[in-house]
Amino acid sequence: MPSGKTAQMTKEKLLELLSTISDPEIPVVSIIDLGILRTVVQMDDQWIITITPTYSGCPAMNMIEAQIKALLDQELGDAYEVRTTLHPAWTTDWMSEDGKRKLKEYGIAPPEASPHQHKLFGAPVLPQCPHCESKNTERISEYGSTACKAMYRCIDCREPFDYFKCH
Ligand SMILES: [Zn+2]
């Protein structure tokens, strides 16, 4: 029997609710901006929410799933299911332009290109400094504040910054 809560819920409202959930490591970007949220579909009297981690083994994913559940428990009771899918793997192409802009404003260099493009051009693309927009940057460490980011430094303005790694 469809519950009243499910009947009242629309996809639009659900997306609006989910847009309030952000990456715990990067509070300025929502899971929709990041492309983590893949699909929201209604099947019978259940909503199926499918997410794809940005980085397998990224500890933030468990937190994101917990946040989705905390939110939807209130809104939908048990009339929903969160599914995690690893295929196709998340790529930085799924990140919205809005999301990339917000990352940059937050001081994290957004991904430059998809891994496919990296292979095409050979050499890896150096990220642009989010502070002064210089392309004159160097990598300090493979890992930044989290495994999903690398640490770079701008040679021009000398500011260190995190770079959201391409996958
Ligand atoms: Zn700079």
Side-chain angles (χ1 to χ4, degrees):
M1 207 178 78
S3 76
K5 281 181 172 175
T6 319
Q8 282 164 23
M9 186 55 77
T10 60
K11 186 175 174 179
E12 214 171 29
K13 186 164 178 234
L14 205 48
L15 285 173
E16 203 182 302
L17 285 167
L18 291 167
S19 72
T20 63
I21 297 175
S22 57
D23 185 321
E25 289 163 6
I26 318 162
V28 290
V29 285
S30 76
I31 56 171
I32 296 176
D33 287 331
L34 284 168
I36 288 171
L37 182 71
R38 298 312 299 152
T39 54
V40 172
V41 287
Q42 192 175 16
M43 278 169 95
D44 302 322
D45 52 355
Q46 259 209 330
W47 285 92
I48 312 291
I49 289 96
T50 306
I51 53 173
T52 293
T54 52
Y55 177 78
S56 58
C58 186
M61 280 315 288
N62 295 333
M63 285 180 69
I64 289 170
E65 196 177 330
Q67 283 185 62
I68 293 174
K69 286 180 173 168
L71 180 75
L72 296 187
D73 276 351
Q74 277 182 14
E75 298 290 333
L76 292 169
D78 57 3
Y80 78 94
E81 194 188 313
V82 178
R83 291 182 186 166
T84 299
T85 176
L86 301 175
H87 302 283
W90 182 87
T91 95
T92 46
D93 294 343
W94 293 355
M95 194 181 284
S96 69
E97 287 308 311
D98 212 30
K100 288 180 188 171
R101 183 181 50 78
K102 288 183 204 164
L103 267 186
K104 195 174 157 187
E105 283 169 7
Y106 191 62
I108 297 173
E112 291 284 339
S114 67
H116 177 71
Q117 283 167 299
H118 279 299
K119 273 180 209 137
L120 208 63
F121 298 118
V125 182
L126 283 170
Q128 195 178 35
C129 170
H131 307 291
C132 74
E133 306 202 340
S134 164
K135 284 253 178 194
N136 197 11
T137 58
E138 62 179 358
R139 191 171 73 184
I140 304 171
S141 161
E142 179 69 27
Y143 296 102
S145 52
T146 69
C148 313
K149 302 185 208 92
M151 187 172 275
Y152 278 75
R153 188 176 59 138
C154 176
I155 294 164
D156 288 337
C157 76
R158 305 200 156 269
E159 287 287 329
F161 63 91
D162 273 343
Y163 172 55
F164 200 98
K165 279 195 272 189
C166 298
H167 299 286

